[in-house]
Amino acid sequence: STSTSTSASTSRTPTEARAKKLQSKRLQKELKAIMSSTSVQDGVFTIELNKGNICEWDVKLYDFDSDSKIAEDLLQLEKTTGIDNVWIRVSIPENYPFSPPFVRVLAPYVQGGYVMSGGAICMELLTPDGWSQAYRMEAVLQQVMSTIAKGESRILKTIPRKLSPQEAQRAYDFLVKQHKTYGWREDPKHMG
């Protein structure tokens, strides 16, 4: 009876099963397209699956706008530590492509601009109200890079504390609520 209740609780409804199949098919198509894209071929960013999970991508961002503060910081970081990228995690929800991925910076410690506490990225297109199922992940990743650079985010040399996924999720939930209430502005500093 234990195995029956376990399998019943983990079984999916026909609608959930179709959604999961759609998600998997779309993600496989997205990964194939990105791996052959000019962004990957030219070394703008790289993608690996986290522990083989198609729903968690570890993306390393290399080629920021050379005039940006983040590009300057990366050059300095590479000279001192050999680290030459910003590592982000893209977590794909079960109802993708109908809901946006959750994106956060894992390392190095990036702060300011559009990077919130815990590494969450403040971008309208990564929120339920700003997301469209038509968005392609390559374009989303390019936009994340542009947003980090545009927001004048900086790499901190001293890490104040370890970034946690829970802190990033709280920051994301807060920003979605704030922007839903007050709208979107160009200046990220109004969020404090």
Side-chain angles (χ1 to χ4, degrees):
S1 102
T2 304
S3 63
T4 305
S5 70
T6 302
S7 65
S9 67
T10 59
S11 66
R12 299 181 187 273
T13 66
T15 302
E16 290 170 332
R18 280 192 301 277
K20 187 69 177 165
K21 186 176 180 180
L22 175 65
Q23 176 206 46
S24 179
K25 187 175 180 179
R26 171 76 180 263
L27 286 175
Q28 289 171 9
K29 183 178 177 182
E30 291 275 1
L31 272 174
K32 184 177 179 183
I34 287 175
M35 293 312 216
S36 63
S37 72
T38 55
S39 294
V40 169
Q41 301 305 317
D42 293 346
V44 175
F45 55 78
T46 62
I47 297 177
E48 292 181 21
L49 300 181
N50 180 33
K51 299 178 184 173
N53 183 351
I54 197 165
C55 294
E56 286 214 344
W57 300 3
D58 284 342
V59 181
K60 295 199 175 166
L61 310 174
Y62 292 92
D63 194 14
F64 288 92
D65 176 0
S66 60
D67 294 330
S68 68
K69 294 181 187 297
I70 197 85
E72 291 173 24
D73 290 351
L74 272 176
L75 283 174
Q76 290 301 314
L77 189 66
E78 184 177 17
K79 288 178 186 174
T80 59
T81 67
I83 296 171
D84 62 350
N85 64 79
V86 172
W87 174 22
I88 63 172
R89 169 131 331 129
V90 179
S91 300
I92 312 291
E94 280 193 21
N95 56 349
Y96 178 85
F98 305 107
S99 291
F102 178 66
V103 180
R104 73 183 190 102
V105 175
L106 295 180
Y109 197 101
V110 177
Q111 184 175 341
Y114 297 99
V115 179
M116 310 299 284
S117 74
I121 306 292
C122 178
M123 288 177 58
E124 186 174 15
L125 76 80
L126 294 176
T127 66
D129 288 344
W131 178 253
S132 167
Q133 67 185 21
Y135 291 147
R136 295 290 176 234
M137 288 304 294
E138 180 184 11
V140 170
L141 294 172
Q142 290 169 336
Q143 189 61 41
V144 166
M145 288 185 75
S146 176
T147 298
I148 290 171
K150 178 183 173 186
E152 299 187 359
S153 300
R154 302 301 304 257
I155 295 173
L156 297 184
K157 291 166 184 46
T158 306
I159 300 172
R161 67 191 176 289
K162 186 177 181 197
L163 298 175
S164 76
Q166 296 82 9
E167 182 180 0
Q169 188 64 54
R170 281 192 302 273
Y172 171 81
D173 292 343
F174 173 78
L175 79 89
V176 167
K177 182 178 176 185
Q178 290 298 307
H179 288 301
K180 194 169 193 70
T181 302
Y182 301 108
W184 287 85
R185 301 181 194 169
E186 275 298 305
D187 182 8
K189 293 161 189 74
H190 77 278
M191 295 296 292

